[in-house]
Amino acid sequence: MLSFPSRQLSLASPQCAPVIYSSSLAVSQPLGPYRPTISPLCKPRLRCLTIRSIDAAQPYDYESHLQSKFHRSNSLKIAILGFGNFGQFLAKAFVRQGHTVIAHSRSDYGAVAKRLGVTFYSDLHDLCEQHPEVVVLSTSILSMEKVLRSIPLQRLKRSTLFVDVLSVKEFPRTLFMKVLPDEFDILCTHPMFGPESGKNSWAGLAFVYDKVRIGEDELRINRCEKFLDIFAREGCRMVKMPCSEHDKYAAGSQFITHTMGRMLEKFGLEYTPINTKGYETLLDLVKNTSGDSFDLYYGLFLYNKNALEQLQRLDMAFESLKMELFGNLQQIYRKQLFSDAEEETVQVRWSESRSVAPKLLHEGAPPAAPEAASETVA
Ligand code: NAP
């Protein structure tokens, strides 16, 4: 949108001319030389032609004003606590959508933040005094309680919206309810993607959320919607789901995915010149999960009560698969063993019948008496 400030035009004419005032920018075409007819009674004024546009409410100004007002009303001031891998990943999208982003973390991310268009505060009190409308906790699962309890809540606006993006959901929900005063709003979320899986686009990727406590005030409802809208506008598949249900599903899917990825990483998958599609999926899985910290994986295990059961199921499934394989192998081995034994017995009978020197059986044991041998065969 173009916005023209009121301006002053002045055309210096080689000829002397009277002063012409213009109140609009419409007089912008070049003017030809002006030759006034000077009455002999009038004393000519020796001043240069000047065209001026005085201040006037321009339609452009009005529109741009409206636009910036609209933009301001839609943008949020968002504070991110925990500016590591995932915090930075989120910040990029928030900034891209025109929100004001401020951040704090245990380590100093001042330089990174500057590059991303984020204001970094190494002091949490300073950040809170900026009165963000939304505070997003993007710390590790293991450190969430410590970080939440260290926030000087008294420095924030009383109805601040608290959001978490932890990969487990019941734990932050319980903690928020315990620590935050009733005036604060609570939204628990889990973007089901990360810097690797969502590096190109978030379109179609699931975003799980649970509006745990949102005040009835229209402003508070709108603020929560505006925050959710960030993900909807990126094309996420918005999934409203209670925290407990999320944890049940996530233990059986996300935790198992991370476990397999980590196992295969330890196993040491390597690129081969004859990779199948399936094998490449495994290589991708290792790549996807290896970028995440062990803290994250450990948090998935420790703070999701369903994770242990899923790990045991995985263990049992592996055992049962091995039994299936070894069971088949045993049958083949037995068959061979028995057919060898049959052949051996036949040979013993044959040698007995021909009264040749008896053969030694396994481990040097003497051959059984003919009656016993026939018993064995029977
Ligand atoms: P992470 O290892 O889970 O967390 C790293 C963040 O936690 C950093 O900001 C780090 O701060 C902070 N932190 C760790 N220990 C701390 C402590 N003792 N005190 C204060 N801060 C501490 O890795 P992440 O990938 O960035 O994940 C952040 C959150 O997003 C996690 O809760 C995770 O479950 C969630 N999440 C991650 C993904 C993903 O794909 N990565 C996807 C969805 C949700 P410093 O860097 O300043 O040390």
Side-chain angles (χ1 to χ4, degrees):
M1 176 64 61
L2 285 173
S3 156
F4 293 100
S6 50
R7 61 182 70 165
Q8 185 179 34
L9 299 177
S10 75
L11 292 179
S13 159
Q15 291 82 23
C16 292
V19 175
I20 299 172
Y21 286 101
S22 162
S23 66
S24 111
L25 275 174
V27 190
S28 58
Q29 62 269 51
L31 298 177
Y34 178 73
R35 298 178 191 285
T37 335
I38 300 165
S39 146
L41 296 174
C42 281
K43 194 176 164 198
R45 294 162 69 195
L46 298 175
R47 290 180 63 188
C48 292
L49 172 67
T50 310
I51 299 172
R52 286 196 187 125
S53 164
I54 59 167
D55 272 347
Q58 300 300 326
Y60 318 102
D61 286 346
Y62 178 67
E63 282 173 19
S64 74
H65 178 68
L66 268 189
Q67 201 200 28
S68 65
K69 206 168 158 191
F70 176 76
H71 173 75
R72 269 202 309 278
S73 70
N74 270 299
S75 77
L76 293 165
K77 188 187 268 190
I78 306 173
I80 300 179
L81 305 189
F83 205 56
N85 200 15
F86 199 64
Q88 292 171 31
F89 174 66
L90 286 179
K92 284 180 206 159
F94 295 170
V95 170
R96 195 169 56 233
Q97 288 199 22
H99 301 285
T100 304
V101 183
I102 58 179
H104 166 80
S105 208
R106 177 179 58 167
S107 318
D108 181 7
Y109 288 107
V112 183
K114 202 172 171 190
R115 274 205 303 279
L116 299 179
V118 173
T119 312
F120 188 80
Y121 291 89
S122 38
D123 188 321
L124 191 48
H125 287 254
D126 290 345
L127 175 134
C128 291
E129 280 168 3
Q130 298 304 310
H131 293 155
E133 293 155 283
V134 185
V135 174
V136 178
L137 272 110
S138 181
T139 60
S140 66
I141 300 169
L142 306 180
S143 66
M144 152 115 182
E145 178 158 12
K146 186 190 121 193
V147 173
L148 182 63
R149 289 192 187 277
S150 70
I151 302 174
L153 299 173
Q154 73 283 4
R155 297 200 191 279
L156 289 167
K157 277 203 259 181
R158 274 208 305 157
S159 82
T160 307
L161 168 64
F162 270 78
V163 180
D164 86 281
V165 292
L166 270 58
S167 308
V168 292
K169 291 277 53 76
E170 268 197 285
F171 166 65
R173 181 190 193 279
T174 313
L175 201 60
F176 272 155
M177 294 294 279
K178 203 158 82 180
V179 175
L180 296 177
D182 291 347
E183 297 82 28
F184 290 105
D185 287 350
I186 300 170
L187 174 68
C188 288
T189 77
H190 183 200
M192 306 293 298
F193 49 90
E196 188 57 39
S197 52
K199 70 177 167 206
N200 297 323
S201 156
W202 297 2
L205 303 176
F207 179 86
V208 178
Y209 66 96
D210 185 4
K211 295 179 188 173
V212 175
R213 187 174 72 201
I214 305 294
E216 285 173 5
D217 188 289
E218 203 185 323
L219 277 175
R220 291 165 75 162
I221 294 171
N222 285 346
R223 180 179 55 189
C224 178
E225 292 307 324
K226 266 190 234 167
F227 183 80
L228 290 173
D229 198 42
I230 297 175
F231 297 89
R233 285 174 66 177
E234 293 288 329
C236 288
R237 186 163 53 83
M238 305 299 283
V239 186
K240 190 173 176 183
M241 181 181 280
C243 291
S244 53
E245 209 173 313
H246 164 278
D247 281 4
K248 266 186 219 147
Y249 286 126
S253 59
Q254 192 197 17
F255 175 66
I256 294 300
T257 309
H258 277 254
T259 303
M260 297 308 293
R262 285 186 176 271
M263 248 170 61
L264 293 173
E265 192 185 0
K266 282 188 190 296
F267 177 77
L269 290 192
E270 277 172 10
Y271 185 88
T272 76
I274 52 165
N275 283 356
T276 59
K277 287 264 174 226
Y279 188 69
E280 284 191 347
T281 313
L282 294 187
L283 289 171
D284 282 348
L285 174 64
V286 173
K287 196 169 152 214
N288 262 333
T289 46
S290 63
D292 292 325
S293 68
F294 186 77
D295 269 9
L296 198 163
Y297 178 58
Y298 190 46
L300 292 180
F301 173 69
L302 208 57
Y303 289 91
N304 187 338
K305 63 179 183 202
N306 308 291
L308 180 62
E309 190 193 327
Q310 294 303 324
L311 196 63
Q312 284 167 339
R313 279 190 59 209
L314 187 67
D315 204 24
M316 277 159 53
F318 189 46
E319 280 306 316
S320 119
L321 200 62
K322 280 197 298 191
M323 274 171 68
E324 215 174 305
L325 286 176
F326 296 154
N328 280 342
L329 200 64
Q330 207 175 9
Q331 272 180 13
I332 294 169
Y333 186 57
R334 268 197 184 154
K335 239 186 221 168
Q336 279 180 357
L337 269 183
F338 280 121
S339 58
D340 281 358
E342 264 170 25
E343 217 169 89
E344 219 163 59
T345 315
V346 171
Q347 281 205 0
V348 170
R349 276 186 188 162
W350 182 79
S351 60
E352 280 171 2
S353 66
R354 294 194 57 201
S355 306
V356 289
K359 278 186 179 178
L360 287 179
L361 294 180
H362 290 301
E363 294 168 7
E371 309 85 55
S374 54
E375 258 172 32
T376 314
V377 174

